[in-house]
Amino acid sequence: MNTSGWQQTPASAEVTEVKSELNVPLPQLADAFVALLEIKAPGFASLLKKDKVISIHYQDRYLKSPWNVMVLMAFLEAFRNDQTKHVVLETVADNSNSSSHLLWHNWPDIYEMQQTVTKWIQLRYELKPSIEIHNRTSDLTHRRILTLEFASGAKWKLAFDQGMGYWEASTFNRDNNGFDFNLDAEGQLARILNICQI
């Protein structure tokens, strides 16, 4: 097996190292992300200003908790517009059967996750997304890939080395750390929106 190309970066790719630039409250994350792009990836930042994202596709085998979804949705605010027609999220079901009661714990019921995230995206984008849940980790690549298609026909892929799990939840009110996974989808979404205020 030839593994020589596994760690190589395509010639056309831009690698942006992020340290603390995006350690901001969730409602400020999209603006901080765009500001970082303007400095480190000006070509892409320019495209965002003059073109519209019409399709969003994110793959992340570890996108399983309310917190990770909150971080993702905060990032996606940088691309949201009235021309977006498709939003697809792919992840892998959690089979650990562990107890869940905190914001960063995995959803124990994958159906509730689908319903909650679907309602949130419908609220923000006024469209019905596709939330695809795979059964095997091997069904998705280890890299967390965000694919954006623009109205002009341009297509960009952003690879997040550690995905949304890179950012740890930090709340001023410890009561916000708890999460009632027994609520129905509408109750869970209300709880999420109350915490992140996006």
Side-chain angles (χ1 to χ4, degrees):
M1 180 182 296
N2 182 6
T3 63
S4 60
W6 283 12
Q7 297 299 321
Q8 293 181 359
T9 301
S12 61
E14 295 184 37
V15 177
T16 299
E17 183 178 6
V18 178
K19 295 182 180 177
S20 60
E21 298 92 337
L22 300 181
N23 294 347
V24 298
L26 282 183
Q28 301 172 22
L29 184 56
D31 290 340
F33 183 45
V34 171
L36 181 67
L37 292 173
E38 289 174 347
I39 296 171
K40 298 194 174 184
F44 181 60
S46 176
L47 179 66
L48 283 178
K49 288 182 178 179
K50 64 184 180 182
D51 209 344
K52 299 288 188 180
V53 174
I54 61 171
S55 177
I56 298 170
H57 187 167
Y58 183 66
Q59 296 178 305
D60 186 340
R61 58 170 72 167
Y62 303 107
L63 188 72
K64 303 176 184 181
S65 74
W67 172 249
N68 285 354
V69 171
M70 289 164 63
V71 175
L72 174 64
M73 289 295 287
F75 266 111
L76 295 187
E77 285 293 299
F79 314 114
R80 186 171 65 88
N81 66 85
D82 58 4
Q83 293 188 33
T84 303
K85 304 300 181 186
H86 304 283
V87 176
V88 180
L89 303 183
E90 291 188 71
T91 189
V92 177
D94 178 46
N95 298 314
S96 64
N97 295 319
S98 59
S99 175
S100 297
H101 60 275
L102 294 174
L103 193 59
W104 49 86
H105 287 170
N106 293 344
W107 262 285
D109 185 339
I110 206 66
Y111 175 76
E112 287 295 341
M113 175 196 176
Q114 282 181 305
Q115 294 299 304
T116 303
V117 177
T118 294
K119 287 180 179 295
W120 194 358
I121 294 175
Q122 285 177 318
L123 178 67
R124 298 304 291 161
Y125 290 86
E126 298 183 357
L127 58 82
K128 186 173 182 180
S130 174
I131 313 296
E132 301 177 10
I133 310 296
H134 298 270
N135 292 319
R136 298 176 301 178
T137 302
S138 59
D139 289 340
L140 292 182
T141 176
H142 178 71
R143 302 191 78 181
R144 289 77 158 180
I145 305 293
L146 174 62
T147 303
L148 304 172
E149 294 186 31
F150 291 81
S152 64
K155 187 174 182 178
W156 281 66
K157 290 190 176 186
L158 286 69
F160 293 83
D161 186 48
Q162 297 183 47
M164 302 302 113
Y166 172 79
W167 289 271
E168 294 183 359
S170 177
T171 61
F172 293 109
N173 184 349
R174 293 185 65 183
D175 290 340
N176 285 340
N177 292 339
F179 195 84
D180 186 355
F181 290 91
N182 292 317
L183 294 171
D184 62 15
E186 296 215 359
Q188 291 188 33
L189 178 56
R191 174 66 172 151
I192 288 171
L193 294 177
N194 182 58
I195 295 171
C196 69
Q197 299 179 5
I198 293 178

